[in-house]
Amino acid sequence: MSQGLVPHDEPQLKIPDLVGWFRPTGRHSHRIGLEVECGLVRPDTGRSVSYDEPAGTRALLVALLDGLGGDPIHEGGALVGLSLPDGAALTLEMAGAIEYSSAPQASVSESVAAARRGLVEVARVAEPLRLRLLTGAHLPFDDPAGISWAPKERTRIMRRWFAQLGDGGRLSDQVMGLTLSTQVSLDALDEAEYLEKLRMLLGVSPFLAALLANAPALAGPHRDDGLVSRRMAYWRRIDPARCQHLASRLYAVTDLAEMVQVLCELPMIYRRSDHGYVPGGPHSFRESLRDGFGDGTRPTIADWRTHLGQVWPSIRPRRTLETRLPDGQAWDQLALVPALFVGLAEEPAVRRAALDVVSEFRTEALDLIAVKAAQGSPDGINPQIREVAGHLVHLAEKGLAARVARGVEHPDIVKSLEPAFHSAATGRPPADAIVARWTNDWAERPDRYVAALGIPTDQTG
């Protein structure tokens, strides 16, 4: 059945169907997903490559299909990714960065190990093309006015959407084109667990993001603006109904039905039709359920899944819960983000303790914490934020240790929290170290930045 086309002999989709879609059925164990966004840059300049240039992103995808196998992913006739034989996927982001999405794994240790293997393979294929995969939180040497967009139909529709928002869409190009993140997807086996995890993750995200701020400006006119996390600073200023305001509303929901009602208030930015991706139209998803899209078609569950991919709160609700706020980290700290969130979320006692820690903070306070974390300060992370964040890191350590004791995790995963303990103790996020190394170790040379943060071509690098 084509997405967006409901045959006449099928019942019309209604709100209770969407609520039921969220409720887990037939699952008895938790799985963990990991998504890692990496820049595709030239090693001498640190600048992103374009899709069609010689040895650009399209050439890399072709080489990956030849070297790794799998199935191509096309959009509008353009090759934009591939599904790998092990269940993982590699897809182009809006401006040509590449995202590795793992197959669901039983542990964070397995997720990180699979991501390391997969990304090293990509780096090996990329090397003959003079391409490096750049980790971290942003692409500091790209010109925001000269972003080379991937040939994806959705990109063009989304940019038009943000343009018509005025000031609310002004920074969208930077967010879509220049920021990089590491995201974790977590399971829930029943409604109560889903809602408990949702609220806890929304509450802890700003504190963890403060410890993980990793995107200072190194060059250009904004290098002295003081920001340590461009992702957080920009995120809260674009399309508030889909970003920080939505996070605040989700923080207050009491059941899945209420959550679905909140999500249905937003219109779709784009949807898929028999003619490819098309604009979603001006009406809310709820109105589209009632009246259709205006072209003789009505929403399907596939449209609902697409709709959920067009909201960007700090925790995105799907059938899994997807973390979105923290910056991407350096290659040698790839395990840090997933270890923190898994450590806090997957042990019920630890999860409830973390929820207790953040339960006193109202949504306005959580938003302000994210603002302060993004802005940075000569004195480092705010002491009150550090105190709460440090408590959460200790709880994450406790959660991971319990999983190690039960044989779920490799013992080394606990060590991956060390950078977060350091940030909490010193009040200095990773961005401060990046600035210091940029000035000293790297002598303000992009090639040295890329050499330090690029993914190696062997597992020992």
Side-chain angles (χ1 to χ4, degrees), residues 414-458:
V414 180
K415 299 177 184 176
S416 65
L417 296 178
E418 289 176 1
F421 278 117
H422 177 77
S423 292
T426 63
R428 298 294 173 182
D432 287 5
I434 291 289
V435 170
R437 296 185 71 186
W438 173 247
T439 304
N440 300 313
D441 301 356
W442 302 331
E444 300 193 4
R445 287 175 48 178
D447 61 327
R448 293 185 179 180
Y449 178 96
V450 174
L453 298 184
I455 293 177
T457 57
D458 62 83

Side-chain angles (χ1 to χ4, degrees), residues 52-386:
D52 287 318
E53 71 179 85
T57 51
R58 185 184 185 282
L60 175 62
L61 292 176
V62 171
L64 289 169
L65 277 170
D66 183 57
L68 305 183
D71 298 315
I73 299 172
H74 290 93
E75 186 172 318
L79 178 64
V80 296
L82 59 152
S83 300
L84 298 173
D86 66 354
L90 295 164
T91 53
L92 290 187
E93 291 292 286
M94 298 299 183
I98 196 165
E99 180 180 82
Y100 171 89
S101 301
S102 73
Q105 305 287 344
S107 71
V108 66
S109 306
E110 292 172 302
S111 293
V112 172
R116 286 194 177 278
R117 289 192 300 270
L119 286 167
V120 165
E121 285 297 317
V122 177
R124 187 176 297 138
V125 174
E127 188 175 36
L129 299 173
R130 290 192 63 253
L131 277 173
R132 289 297 301 272
L133 271 71
L134 186 64
T135 60
H138 69 148
L139 296 160
F141 310 116
D142 285 357
D143 179 2
I147 294 171
S148 180
W149 300 98
K152 302 173 76 171
E153 295 171 317
R154 286 173 291 170
T155 301
R156 290 188 287 271
I157 296 170
M158 287 180 67
R159 293 190 71 210
R160 286 198 297 268
W161 169 271
F162 286 121
Q164 58 88 31
L165 293 179
D167 191 60
R170 185 171 58 84
L171 294 170
S172 59
D173 278 3
Q174 285 91 320
V175 173
M176 292 191 292
L178 301 182
T179 64
L180 304 170
S181 69
T182 298
Q183 299 161 4
V184 190
S185 293
L186 301 172
D187 260 339
L189 302 186
D190 57 45
E191 180 171 349
E193 182 187 359
Y194 188 101
L195 294 167
E196 186 174 80
K197 281 185 174 177
L198 174 63
R199 185 172 176 83
M200 185 278 290
L201 293 168
L202 286 166
V204 305
S205 286
F207 295 99
L208 299 186
L211 299 182
L212 299 167
N214 193 33
L218 302 179
H222 302 297
R223 64 175 296 167
D224 297 320
D225 63 8
L227 293 178
V228 292
S229 175
R230 320 201 85 68
R231 179 181 177 84
M232 273 194 289
Y234 296 164
W235 166 82
R236 66 175 305 280
R237 293 171 60 187
I238 66 166
D239 202 350
R242 295 173 189 271
C243 295
Q244 82 271 19
H245 290 176
L246 180 57
S248 297
R249 297 196 65 190
L250 292 173
Y251 194 62
V253 301
T254 57
D255 56 34
L256 289 177
E258 185 180 356
M259 184 183 78
V260 166
Q261 293 286 355
V262 169
L263 294 167
C264 279
E265 292 176 11
L266 297 165
M268 296 185 76
I269 298 176
Y270 58 81
R271 61 187 178 91
R272 194 165 189 169
S273 73
D274 279 352
H275 306 291
Y277 286 100
V278 297
H283 302 295
S284 70
F285 199 89
R286 180 186 293 105
E287 291 170 324
S288 296
L289 283 175
R290 184 190 66 209
D291 303 326
F293 288 125
D295 60 358
T297 67
R298 292 183 180 278
T300 67
I301 283 294
D303 287 304
W304 180 239
R305 291 196 298 266
T306 298
H307 178 58
L308 296 178
Q310 299 167 27
V311 299
W312 303 283
S314 54
I315 302 298
R316 176 187 276 165
R318 290 174 162 170
R319 274 186 164 167
T320 57
L321 291 162
E322 181 184 275
T323 69
R324 299 192 58 79
L325 189 60
D327 287 337
Q329 302 298 296
W331 174 249
D332 62 352
Q333 296 178 15
L334 183 67
L336 177 55
V337 173
L340 281 168
F341 281 108
V342 170
L344 289 171
E346 294 306 304
E347 293 294 312
V350 171
R351 180 168 69 242
R352 288 159 195 157
L355 188 55
D356 286 342
V357 169
V358 298
S359 61
E360 65 183 89
F361 295 94
R362 298 174 63 86
T363 55
E364 297 86 351
L366 293 173
D367 187 44
L368 183 60
I369 289 163
V371 172
K372 287 184 175 294
Q375 289 174 342
S377 165
D379 298 325
I381 302 169
N382 176 281
Q384 288 77 25
I385 296 175
R386 282 173 57 192

